[in-house]
Amino acid sequence: SSRHILSLVFEKAIPSFGALAEIGDDRSLFNLGVMTYLGHGTEKNKAKAYVLVKISNENKFSGRYLEMLMPEF
């Protein structure tokens, strides 16, 4: 199914985003946060997602997205 294919794509993207995030790529931090928040390719974890997106926000990438994505924080 298309849902299964998307799941595989997300799972394969996690290591790449992780490697880029480790060297300070804000977009990768943000993408990891969104994927973690939604549980795409990784276990759903709102607290971890918040931290990832918050760090990317501190680096001036995701400010306007933080409240839209995670209004409960």
Side-chain angles (χ1 to χ4, degrees):
S1 77
S2 61
R3 194 172 280 214
H4 177 70
I5 291 170
L6 276 177
S7 177
L8 292 174
V9 169
F10 287 128
E11 285 177 26
K12 290 188 181 280
I14 293 283
S16 297
F17 284 137
L20 290 168
E22 284 182 22
I23 60 171
D25 183 75
D26 296 331
R27 290 174 194 250
S28 294
L29 278 166
F30 178 77
N31 288 332
L32 281 172
V34 171
M35 292 170 70
T36 301
Y37 183 81
L38 298 172
H40 292 314
T42 186
E43 190 172 323
K44 189 181 234 184
N45 183 328
K46 289 184 178 183
K48 182 178 178 181
Y50 175 80
V51 170
L52 291 167
V53 172
K54 186 75 170 162
I55 292 169
S56 72
N57 183 45
E58 288 171 1
N59 294 333
K60 308 293 185 240
F61 176 72
S62 64
R64 68 177 184 240
Y65 300 110
L66 185 60
E67 288 183 24
M68 284 183 350
L69 178 66
M70 303 173 188
E72 68 269 19
F73 293 106

